[in-house]
Each structure stands twice: as structure tokens, then as C-alpha cells.
Amino acid sequence: MSLLWPVASPVLWFKEILEGIESIHIYTHIYRECRIIRQVVFLRNNFIIEQQPCTSMSHPAKLWIILKEHNIRKLDLPHLIPGTVEELESIVKETFEVDGKFTLHYKDADFGEEYFSLTSTGDIKDKVTLKVVQIIEPPTITLTFSDVDSSLKSASETLVNASAISETSSVSCGTSCSSGFQDTVILSSPEHFSRRLRRWPTNFSVPHFAYDTELLLASGNETFKKDGTKLNFTSLLPDILEKLAETIFQYVAYPTSAQLADVAEALVQQHPCLKEPGSYNGCYGWQQRLKYKMGNYRSKLRGLGCPELDVNSLKRKQAHEKTPSKNLKKPRKAEVNYLPPHPQGETEESLEKERLELLDEVKERNNYRIISEKMAKTFSNRRQEVVNLAPPVNDFRNRWPVLFDAAQVNAEFQCITTLQLETTFAAQLDRITPQLMTVFQKKGGVSGQKLAHHLQIMQEAESDVKVKREAVLRALCLYLGEEDGSLIREYLDIEGDDIQRDLKKHTMGIYVINKENGQNGHYDDIGIFVEGEIVIDNIGTLAQACALILALNLAYPKELKDYYEFIQKVLMGLDGEKLSLKVLGLKNKIATG
């Protein structure tokens, strides 16, 4: 049975129907303003009022849809605006082929044309503006578990093979980097996740904030691009600063002012609505907020037992150092893993047991795999000793004799800085050698005369990379006004005891024992000494020794201050933000030469 109601008032008509029927169970869904009355089932009298449109209000509607910043479309709704948000979203998705999940925002005239989340279609009317806001879902991470023992075995076999090959072959670093430098394979293990794996990035990537924060920032960026209005971000500060501090700590615990400036600039570049009026660069206030936020964030982590921060707590300082800034222990040479926590499940007692087992393994032969595993496992224990105790080199060598080997020094340096020591040193030195030769040739006076000898060696040793690198390093010392004899102690046909007595007169350096009537760059022995004691000997080349000495946790001698500053900050790119005038001048000449 089909009933049509009068046009005047469907509500009154419906009321009259109900008053004439007793005990009627009605299932109805009446939309806002009675746009459509759906099927009403009268159970007792067994008749059906079929769905009929309310003809008095069946006027078409038009909506203004903003899909993207440069994609604005018109949506025609011939049967009025749907009764639910879900139906409207479905129409938008089908009409404009919108991919992925999204939500609709509408422009409210009562609040200065600001956008609000659409929760009911009753909030909108004909010719209103809607904006499609994509929902960014977090990435899905899939973990694949494999047998740890087999993984370690496979990695160790690769390490042993690489070590065997490197003893007889050279490393190729471009067209000229060849002999004397070995690739070092660092054995990674599943329990070593507590270490930092990356250095401070060249371009800081702003992290994703909470979902509601991202929505407000997206809306604020659009408004800023439209009319330059900046966002009132007071309510967003806690989320933004907390997430930025967490991301910064993944790289460094004590960021420099330059690093904080990088973060602030990246933030306002990605979200221009956060620029501050009155600031000379629009982000100086953010830099200051991050500075204080990092201090609070460190305090929180210090209370949770983070060793890199706990080492500077007042309870661990001596009586005469009971101030927060006194004798602050933090990275000085761009260490990434300065004081990492112990591997999960390990304690000082268990790692000390591993160290004692290492002393026995050193006496065995052909067990490089086991030694590498234990050295990787006890890395945090060694850093605790170096940072907290600063033992003399001789005592440290007695506790960790296996560390004083070229391959292990490379592995330790990579754990600390994430850089491969020898290969990076060789590649960078070969890269700038042509520019250095041009700079050396322009030097006049007495220094120019001293450099002429080494320039001649460089030109004659085009085919001998070892000799050429040595000549470049010696000439670099002379150009910076420092004697190459302070860097390299040369001996010829003297007894070992005499060498030891002479080395005790110097703090640290490299020694070479020349061959009788030998050629340039060819020696009977090359080694490194510290505090008068030979710590590493039988090094392949002098350039290799110059690289290995960088791994020592020592203050550089004053007579070689500029040389080591150039090698560390310019050549290796470690903490190169602040340079002395002499080193900065040489760096600029290389860049323009």
C-alpha cells in the first residue's frame, strides 16, 4: 500500500497516522528537516509506507570541494546533501576518485571562515566550502626473525675472508686510492641496538608530529601561503618540542648552537606558518626553545639512567667539581657513540668476564672471528673505562691488548664515529691532493723552499701512491708552519733500547726505521708511540699510521695543533664547524683552487 502525504507538512501528516493506530511498532529514520522518510513498517495492520521524497525540499545543492592546493572542484548534488558524513565522503571519493583515507573539513562563517572537522551534514548548507584532508597512516613495520647463531656465523666468515684478502690486496678508492689501506668489516650483532648508527645529517629532516598537530600545521601552512597569517602555535609547543628533542638525541646528546639552528631553520622551512615575527631569520626563538628543551630532556633521561648523561650528574663528581658545568664529559672529537649503554641483558660483571676470556683468546691462533665478536660485545665497557677512568695507555693496553692492532683500531673508530677510518682518510687525501699541490707551489720564502723538495717527490711518484701520500702529509705540516720532524721520528740502524729512550722524550707520534740506502717511502718498520711506549708497530705505510693515530683518545701535541686540526676537521669532516684562522684559510684555498 503506497501512501502519499500532502505537501504542506509531512510531520503533521505522520502524527495523524500514528494517532489512529494502536500498539504500532514503527521503525523509522527521519533525516534532518524531514528530507526523506524511509520505509515505515506497520506490523499490526500489515501495510507499508514506501520511501517517498519530500518534494517540498527536493532542491539540488552545490558544494565547493578543495582536493588539493591547486585542485578545486564543484560537486553537484541533485538530491540534496546526504544525511550522514559517511555518505557524503563516499560521494566525494567516487566523484573525484580520491585515493586513500581522508576526512572532510568545512569552512565555518561564524568563526572567521576557519576550517572545522565535519561531524554532521547538518553543519553545512548549499554552496559551502569543503576541504579534503588526507589521513596519514603510520608505516607498517614487518620483523623477520632468523637464527642468531647462523647469522653471526655467516657474518664472521665474511669478516675472516675480508681480513685474509686485505693482507695481500689493496683497497681501491677511486682512480688513485690504492695501497696500504684495508677495508674494515664491523661485525654487527642483534644485541647492539643501543648504539647510534648515523652522524648528524647535512640536511635535518623534520619528524612527523602527532596527528592532530599535523592537521593544524597543514591548515596553518595553507593560510600562511594565502594571506601571510601566522599560526598561533602555543598549544602545539609541547608536542613539537618533545618530538624534535627526541629526534635530535638520536644523533647527539649535546647539540651545538649551529646544530640547533639547523633544526630551527628546517622546521620553519617545512612549516612556514611557525615563523616568528620580529626574528631576524624567523626561527631564532625556536632555536632558544630547543636549547632549553634539550636541557630538560637530558635531565629526564639522566633520571632514567642514561650513562651518557648520568656521568655528568653531581653525585658522580668530586667535591671540588660540584657544579653542573664543571668538567663536563661530552664528545670533543665528533664521537657519535661517546658513552653508549651496555647491550641488553649485559652487566659490568658479565662484560668483565668477556674481557678475561679475550685475554685467553689472544693466545690462540686463527680465532679472529671469536675475537671480533667479543670486542664488539664489550665496546661499551671500554668506553666506560676511557671516559670515566682515563687510564694511562700502558695500563689500558694491558687490559685490552687485542685492541692495539690496526684492524681492531679501525673497528673501534667506526663504532665511535660511524666512519671507516683508513678508507675515508685515503680517499679524502687523494681527492684534495691536486688542490694541495697547487697551493704548495704558490708558497714563497723559506717555507716555499722546504716545500719544493716534497713537491718534486709528488711529481716523480705518480705511480707510487704510498710515496706520494707521505710527501703530501709532510708538506702539509711544513705549510702550516709545523716541523714534519715533530710528526715523524726517523731512526736508522740503532738498537731498540736506544729508540725507546728517545721516544720517552716525546708525548706521541709516529716513528719509522729507515732502510740503509732505502728509497723514499720504504722502511724496515713503522709504528705509533704514546707516552714513550710503542703501542702499534709493523704498520704498512706512513699514511696508514697517520690515519690510525687519529683514533687515540688523546689531546694533540701543541707543536702539531694545526696539522691535526686540519686532518680531523677538514680531511675527515669531524666537528668541522669551528676552525682556526690558519686552517680556515687553507680550506678556502683548496675550495677555490
Side-chain angles (χ1 to χ4, degrees):
M1 177 180 179
S2 178
L3 299 179
L4 296 179
W5 55 81
V7 176
S9 176
V11 175
L12 294 176
W13 169 86
F14 196 80
K15 184 177 180 181
E16 293 173 359
I17 293 288
L18 296 180
E19 290 175 350
I21 303 175
E22 298 177 359
S23 303
I24 299 177
H25 300 280
I26 301 175
Y27 297 87
T28 181
H29 185 179
I30 304 177
Y31 284 115
R32 181 181 175 87
E33 299 178 358
C34 298
R35 292 190 179 91
I36 296 176
I37 298 182
R38 292 190 171 178
Q39 290 183 344
V40 181
V41 182
F42 296 84
L43 301 181
R44 182 172 179 178
N45 292 327
N46 247 349
F47 61 86
I48 300 175
I49 300 178
E50 295 182 354
Q51 176 176 312
Q52 298 289 343
C54 184
T55 57
S56 65
M57 305 188 66
S58 59
H59 300 292
K62 295 180 180 180
L63 300 179
W64 194 259
I65 307 295
I66 301 176
L67 299 175
K68 291 184 179 179
E69 183 177 356
H70 302 291
N71 188 5
I72 303 175
R73 310 285 287 276
K74 181 177 70 172
L75 177 63
D76 292 321
L77 298 173
H79 302 294
L80 295 177
I81 299 172
T84 64
V85 176
E86 291 76 13
E87 289 183 63
L88 180 58
E89 289 178 348
S90 178
I91 293 174
V92 172
K93 184 172 185 178
E94 293 176 2
T95 305
F96 303 113
E97 298 180 353
V98 180
D99 296 328
K101 294 183 178 181
F102 64 92
T103 183
L104 294 176
H105 289 187
Y106 73 97
K107 184 180 290 187
D108 195 321
D110 296 335
F111 290 91
E113 300 295 324
E114 293 291 337
Y115 284 99
F116 291 86
S117 298
L118 181 63
T119 58
S120 171
T121 55
D123 295 330
I124 59 177
K125 56 185 179 180
D126 186 26
K127 296 183 181 180
V128 76
T129 300
L130 297 180
K131 181 168 65 173
V132 175
V133 179
Q134 296 286 344
I135 297 177
I136 303 174
E137 296 183 341
T140 302
I141 301 175
T142 304
L143 298 179
T144 303
F145 295 93
S146 60
D147 183 66
V148 175
D149 295 334
S150 62
S151 300
L152 288 175
K153 181 178 180 181
S154 175
S156 301
E157 290 175 354
T158 303
L159 180 61
V160 173
N161 294 335
S163 177
I165 293 173
S166 64
E167 292 178 359
T168 56
S169 64
S170 59
V171 177
S172 176
C173 303
T175 57
S176 59
C177 174
S178 56
S179 61
F181 289 84
Q182 298 177 351
D183 274 328
T184 301
V185 181
I186 301 300
L187 184 66
S188 60
S189 176
E191 66 258 11
H192 301 146
F193 290 143
S194 57
R195 302 178 194 168
R196 294 188 178 98
L197 302 178
R198 294 175 294 173
R199 300 176 50 74
W200 184 264
T202 303
N203 298 313
F204 185 85
S205 179
V206 178
H208 289 291
F209 304 113
Y211 176 66
D212 56 340
T213 302
E214 288 287 349
L215 289 179
L216 290 173
L217 288 175
S219 176
N221 290 334
E222 290 188 7
T223 303
F224 179 81
K225 291 177 183 178
K226 183 185 300 182
D227 54 20
T229 302
K230 297 181 175 63
L231 179 68
N232 183 359
F233 50 77
T234 305
S235 61
L236 307 182
L237 274 176
D239 179 42
I240 294 177
L241 294 177
E242 183 73 17
K243 192 62 179 179
L244 288 175
E246 179 183 340
T247 306
I248 292 172
F249 194 82
Q250 293 176 4
Y251 300 105
V252 291
Y254 296 91
T256 63
S257 296
Q259 290 170 337
L260 292 177
D262 289 344
V263 178
E265 290 174 3
L267 178 65
V268 298
Q269 184 175 1
Q270 182 164 330
H271 301 292
C273 63
L274 297 179
K275 288 185 177 180
E276 297 176 306
S279 174
Y280 73 96
N281 59 356
C283 63
Y284 181 75
W286 283 105
Q287 182 178 344
Q288 297 304 308
R289 292 187 188 96
L290 287 170
K291 176 182 177 181
Y292 292 110
K293 176 61 182 179
M294 286 304 299
N296 295 334
Y297 192 74
R298 285 193 295 266
S299 298
K300 181 174 71 173
L301 294 185
R302 185 183 298 116
L304 297 175
C306 178
E308 188 174 9
L309 305 173
D310 188 55
V311 68
N312 291 316
S313 61
L314 295 180
K315 65 182 180 181
R316 294 186 177 273
K317 293 188 176 184
Q318 299 180 8
H320 63 284
E321 297 178 343
K322 292 288 186 178
T323 57
S325 59
K326 184 74 172 180
N327 192 24
L328 189 66
K329 295 180 179 179
K330 64 178 183 178
R332 305 292 182 183
K333 298 180 181 179
E335 298 94 337
V336 176
N337 291 297
Y338 179 70
L339 194 58
H342 294 318
Q344 187 175 3
E346 299 293 341
T347 62
E348 292 186 6
E349 292 74 18
S350 63
L351 293 178
E352 178 64 15
K353 182 179 179 181
E354 293 285 343
R355 186 192 68 81
L356 295 175
E357 292 177 0
L358 261 173
L359 296 178
D360 296 330
E361 294 295 341
V362 173
K363 303 173 185 177
E364 303 294 332
R365 300 179 61 183
N366 301 325
N367 61 344
Y368 188 79
R369 177 181 64 84
I370 298 176
I371 289 176
S372 296
E373 291 177 8
K374 292 185 178 295
M375 287 295 288
K377 192 174 185 179
T378 55
F379 170 70
S380 61
N381 200 20
R382 288 190 298 280
R383 293 303 301 171
Q384 294 276 358
E385 291 187 23
V386 170
V387 174
N388 294 329
L389 303 178
V393 172
N394 201 31
D395 294 347
F396 192 69
R397 185 176 59 172
N398 291 335
R399 286 181 55 80
W400 303 94
V402 70
L403 180 61
F404 293 84
D405 169 78
Q408 291 299 333
V409 169
N410 277 278
E412 194 82 354
F413 186 84
Q414 186 167 359
C415 286
I416 297 172
T417 66
T418 73
L419 284 181
Q420 291 188 356
L421 175 57
E422 294 184 21
T423 51
T424 303
F425 183 92
Q428 292 296 95
L429 183 62
D430 292 342
R431 182 182 64 83
I432 66 172
T433 290
Q435 291 88 344
L436 282 175
M437 291 179 65
T438 301
V439 174
F440 295 158
Q441 289 170 354
K442 296 178 181 179
K443 187 71 172 179
V446 177
S447 298
Q449 295 175 4
K450 294 180 180 179
L451 290 171
H453 171 66
H454 297 295
L455 282 169
Q456 182 179 357
I457 295 176
M458 295 179 211
Q459 295 167 354
E460 294 175 353
E462 285 296 332
S463 59
D464 194 336
V465 179
K466 295 191 299 183
V467 175
K468 187 174 183 178
R469 287 177 183 157
E470 177 183 338
V472 172
L473 292 170
R474 288 179 180 269
L476 179 62
C477 252
L478 294 173
Y479 182 86
L480 293 172
E482 298 168 342
E483 292 296 329
D484 59 338
S486 300
L487 174 67
I488 304 165
R489 314 294 305 177
E490 297 191 53
Y491 302 95
L492 175 63
D493 194 26
I494 62 175
E495 298 296 331
D497 292 341
D498 295 332
I499 295 178
Q500 290 281 3
R501 282 193 294 270
D502 187 66
L503 294 181
K504 289 184 182 298
K505 301 176 184 178
H506 307 281
T507 304
M508 61 176 288
I510 300 168
Y511 75 88
V512 297
I513 298 179
N514 292 308
K515 290 184 177 181
E516 189 173 356
N517 299 323
Q519 299 177 346
N520 288 325
H522 299 275
Y523 307 99
D524 282 336
D525 187 23
I526 302 174
I528 297 174
F529 68 91
V530 178
E531 298 173 359
E533 298 289 338
I534 296 176
V535 293
I536 306 177
D537 57 2
N538 296 319
I539 300 175
T541 67
L542 192 142
Q544 186 182 3
C546 289
L548 293 174
I549 203 170
L550 294 175
L552 300 178
N553 189 56
L554 297 171
Y556 299 136
K558 293 181 179 180
E559 60 270 19
L560 294 171
K561 179 179 67 69
D562 293 330
Y563 165 82
Y564 279 115
E565 181 183 354
F566 180 87
I567 295 297
Q568 175 190 321
K569 297 185 176 183
V570 179
L571 191 69
M572 298 295 291
L574 298 173
D575 192 24
E577 298 171 357
K578 295 182 180 180
L579 299 175
S580 63
L581 292 178
K582 186 180 293 186
V583 174
L584 179 61
L586 178 56
K587 179 183 177 181
N588 293 335
K589 289 179 180 179
I590 293 174
T592 57

